[in-house]
Amino acid sequence: MAGQTITRAQMTEAVYQEVGLSRNESAELVESVIAEISDALERGEMVKISSFGSFAVRQKGQRIGRNPKTGQEVPISPRRVLVFRASHALKHQINNGLNQRPASRGASRARVRAGAAKAAPA
């Protein structure tokens, strides 16, 4: 499973499969959620998603860093950084829950639907 990335298209497909909205409505929903999270973080607000984690923006001050190759001191300008803190529920799921669940709920439901479609008389 290492090295895989979930894309917006895959999230849209998951919403389509789980909720039953049209693909266009599912894409709009995913984009809307991502935009709302991004806008809130841009305004400096914290975003908490229950049983998932929280996103926050922190302000870092100016500091002096060193070029590792030359050892020369270089000023690092102040900046805002995004931080994510996983909830205990997510940490527990990652560490313990994956051994007890199928690899993908969406994939298993799709297999069930495909099997039901084959079994139905034409």
PDB file of all heavy atoms in Angstrom, residues 68-82:
ATOM      1  N   PRO A  68      24.203  23.707   4.430  1.00  0.00           N
ATOM      2  CA  PRO A  68      24.952  22.525   4.879  1.00  0.00           C
ATOM      3  C   PRO A  68      26.203  22.243   4.049  1.00  0.00           C
ATOM      4  O   PRO A  68      27.141  21.631   4.544  1.00  0.00           O
ATOM      5  CB  PRO A  68      23.940  21.386   4.746  1.00  0.00           C
ATOM      6  CG  PRO A  68      22.866  21.895   3.871  1.00  0.00           C
ATOM      7  CD  PRO A  68      22.876  23.374   3.956  1.00  0.00           C
ATOM      8  N   LYS A  69      26.214  22.723   2.826  1.00  0.00           N
ATOM      9  CA  LYS A  69      27.364  22.457   1.956  1.00  0.00           C
ATOM     10  C   LYS A  69      28.544  23.362   2.294  1.00  0.00           C
ATOM     11  O   LYS A  69      29.687  22.916   2.352  1.00  0.00           O
ATOM     12  CB  LYS A  69      26.941  22.654   0.498  1.00  0.00           C
ATOM     13  CG  LYS A  69      27.837  22.016  -0.513  1.00  0.00           C
ATOM     14  CD  LYS A  69      27.206  22.067  -1.876  1.00  0.00           C
ATOM     15  CE  LYS A  69      27.937  21.180  -2.852  1.00  0.00           C
ATOM     16  NZ  LYS A  69      27.297  21.187  -4.164  1.00  0.00           N
ATOM     17  N   THR A  70      28.249  24.656   2.522  1.00  0.00           N
ATOM     18  CA  THR A  70      29.330  25.624   2.737  1.00  0.00           C
ATOM     19  C   THR A  70      29.468  26.067   4.188  1.00  0.00           C
ATOM     20  O   THR A  70      30.488  26.623   4.572  1.00  0.00           O
ATOM     21  CB  THR A  70      29.091  26.882   1.881  1.00  0.00           C
ATOM     22  OG1 THR A  70      27.905  27.529   2.334  1.00  0.00           O
ATOM     23  CG2 THR A  70      28.978  26.523   0.413  1.00  0.00           C
ATOM     24  N   GLY A  71      28.428  25.854   5.003  1.00  0.00           N
ATOM     25  CA  GLY A  71      28.454  26.308   6.388  1.00  0.00           C
ATOM     26  C   GLY A  71      28.130  27.792   6.522  1.00  0.00           C
ATOM     27  O   GLY A  71      28.140  28.334   7.626  1.00  0.00           O
ATOM     28  N   GLN A  72      27.831  28.467   5.412  1.00  0.00           N
ATOM     29  CA  GLN A  72      27.536  29.899   5.423  1.00  0.00           C
ATOM     30  C   GLN A  72      26.170  30.150   6.065  1.00  0.00           C
ATOM     31  O   GLN A  72      25.207  29.438   5.819  1.00  0.00           O
ATOM     32  CB  GLN A  72      27.534  30.427   3.990  1.00  0.00           C
ATOM     33  CG  GLN A  72      27.209  31.892   3.864  1.00  0.00           C
ATOM     34  CD  GLN A  72      27.157  32.336   2.401  1.00  0.00           C
ATOM     35  OE1 GLN A  72      27.343  31.529   1.497  1.00  0.00           O
ATOM     36  NE2 GLN A  72      26.900  33.602   2.191  1.00  0.00           N
ATOM     37  N   GLU A  73      26.105  31.186   6.915  1.00  0.00           N
ATOM     38  CA  GLU A  73      24.839  31.548   7.543  1.00  0.00           C
ATOM     39  C   GLU A  73      23.919  32.220   6.529  1.00  0.00           C
ATOM     40  O   GLU A  73      24.361  33.051   5.744  1.00  0.00           O
ATOM     41  CB  GLU A  73      25.075  32.483   8.727  1.00  0.00           C
ATOM     42  CG  GLU A  73      25.721  31.798   9.910  1.00  0.00           C
ATOM     43  CD  GLU A  73      25.809  32.696  11.128  1.00  0.00           C
ATOM     44  OE1 GLU A  73      25.510  33.907  11.026  1.00  0.00           O
ATOM     45  OE2 GLU A  73      26.188  32.180  12.199  1.00  0.00           O
ATOM     46  N   VAL A  74      22.650  31.832   6.576  1.00  0.00           N
ATOM     47  CA  VAL A  74      21.661  32.353   5.646  1.00  0.00           C
ATOM     48  C   VAL A  74      20.412  32.706   6.453  1.00  0.00           C
ATOM     49  O   VAL A  74      19.928  31.891   7.241  1.00  0.00           O
ATOM     50  CB  VAL A  74      21.294  31.290   4.575  1.00  0.00           C
ATOM     51  CG1 VAL A  74      20.244  31.820   3.623  1.00  0.00           C
ATOM     52  CG2 VAL A  74      22.520  30.824   3.828  1.00  0.00           C
ATOM     53  N   PRO A  75      19.875  33.933   6.267  1.00  0.00           N
ATOM     54  CA  PRO A  75      18.649  34.267   6.991  1.00  0.00           C
ATOM     55  C   PRO A  75      17.439  33.540   6.374  1.00  0.00           C
ATOM     56  O   PRO A  75      17.302  33.475   5.156  1.00  0.00           O
ATOM     57  CB  PRO A  75      18.529  35.780   6.824  1.00  0.00           C
ATOM     58  CG  PRO A  75      19.297  36.088   5.585  1.00  0.00           C
ATOM     59  CD  PRO A  75      20.379  35.050   5.484  1.00  0.00           C
ATOM     60  N   ILE A  76      16.614  32.967   7.228  1.00  0.00           N
ATOM     61  CA  ILE A  76      15.379  32.321   6.792  1.00  0.00           C
ATOM     62  C   ILE A  76      14.247  33.258   7.187  1.00  0.00           C
ATOM     63  O   ILE A  76      14.076  33.580   8.358  1.00  0.00           O
ATOM     64  CB  ILE A  76      15.212  30.935   7.435  1.00  0.00           C
ATOM     65  CG1 ILE A  76      16.383  30.037   7.030  1.00  0.00           C
ATOM     66  CG2 ILE A  76      13.875  30.312   7.049  1.00  0.00           C
ATOM     67  CD1 ILE A  76      16.417  28.698   7.721  1.00  0.00           C
ATOM     68  N   SER A  77      13.482  33.690   6.188  1.00  0.00           N
ATOM     69  CA  SER A  77      12.456  34.710   6.420  1.00  0.00           C
ATOM     70  C   SER A  77      11.266  34.151   7.206  1.00  0.00           C
ATOM     71  O   SER A  77      11.017  32.942   7.199  1.00  0.00           O
ATOM     72  CB  SER A  77      11.983  35.277   5.087  1.00  0.00           C
ATOM     73  OG  SER A  77      11.478  34.247   4.291  1.00  0.00           O
ATOM     74  N   PRO A  78      10.522  35.034   7.868  1.00  0.00           N
ATOM     75  CA  PRO A  78       9.321  34.571   8.583  1.00  0.00           C
ATOM     76  C   PRO A  78       8.304  34.023   7.591  1.00  0.00           C
ATOM     77  O   PRO A  78       8.223  34.459   6.444  1.00  0.00           O
ATOM     78  CB  PRO A  78       8.786  35.827   9.264  1.00  0.00           C
ATOM     79  CG  PRO A  78       9.607  36.956   8.817  1.00  0.00           C
ATOM     80  CD  PRO A  78      10.726  36.449   7.973  1.00  0.00           C
ATOM     81  N   ARG A  79       7.538  33.044   8.055  1.00  0.00           N
ATOM     82  CA  ARG A  79       6.573  32.421   7.145  1.00  0.00           C
ATOM     83  C   ARG A  79       5.481  31.730   7.953  1.00  0.00           C
ATOM     84  O   ARG A  79       5.617  31.534   9.156  1.00  0.00           O
ATOM     85  CB  ARG A  79       7.267  31.408   6.250  1.00  0.00           C
ATOM     86  CG  ARG A  79       7.836  30.233   7.017  1.00  0.00           C
ATOM     87  CD  ARG A  79       9.035  29.623   6.292  1.00  0.00           C
ATOM     88  NE  ARG A  79       9.601  28.523   7.032  1.00  0.00           N
ATOM     89  CZ  ARG A  79      10.437  28.644   8.046  1.00  0.00           C
ATOM     90  NH1 ARG A  79      10.777  29.847   8.480  1.00  0.00           N
ATOM     91  NH2 ARG A  79      10.918  27.598   8.659  1.00  0.00           N
ATOM     92  N   ARG A  80       4.429  31.379   7.243  1.00  0.00           N
ATOM     93  CA  ARG A  80       3.336  30.619   7.840  1.00  0.00           C
ATOM     94  C   ARG A  80       3.455  29.183   7.349  1.00  0.00           C
ATOM     95  O   ARG A  80       3.716  28.937   6.175  1.00  0.00           O
ATOM     96  CB  ARG A  80       1.997  31.218   7.435  1.00  0.00           C
ATOM     97  CG  ARG A  80       1.776  32.610   8.013  1.00  0.00           C
ATOM     98  CD  ARG A  80       0.609  33.324   7.403  1.00  0.00           C
ATOM     99  NE  ARG A  80      -0.623  32.552   7.552  1.00  0.00           N
ATOM    100  CZ  ARG A  80      -1.797  32.940   7.076  1.00  0.00           C
ATOM    101  NH1 ARG A  80      -1.894  34.078   6.418  1.00  0.00           N
ATOM    102  NH2 ARG A  80      -2.863  32.201   7.251  1.00  0.00           N
ATOM    103  N   VAL A  81       3.259  28.240   8.256  1.00  0.00           N
ATOM    104  CA  VAL A  81       3.356  26.827   7.891  1.00  0.00           C
ATOM    105  C   VAL A  81       2.075  26.109   8.291  1.00  0.00           C
ATOM    106  O   VAL A  81       1.422  26.457   9.266  1.00  0.00           O
ATOM    107  CB  VAL A  81       4.581  26.134   8.540  1.00  0.00           C
ATOM    108  CG1 VAL A  81       5.876  26.720   8.010  1.00  0.00           C
ATOM    109  CG2 VAL A  81       4.521  26.223  10.044  1.00  0.00           C
ATOM    110  N   LEU A  82       1.714  25.109   7.512  1.00  0.00           N
ATOM    111  CA  LEU A  82       0.537  24.301   7.788  1.00  0.00           C
ATOM    112  C   LEU A  82       0.959  23.097   8.619  1.00  0.00           C
ATOM    113  O   LEU A  82       1.931  22.417   8.289  1.00  0.00           O
ATOM    114  CB  LEU A  82      -0.096  23.830   6.472  1.00  0.00           C
ATOM    115  CG  LEU A  82      -1.310  22.938   6.587  1.00  0.00           C
ATOM    116  CD1 LEU A  82      -2.467  23.682   7.245  1.00  0.00           C
ATOM    117  CD2 LEU A  82      -1.720  22.440   5.225  1.00  0.00           C
TER     118      LEU A  82
END
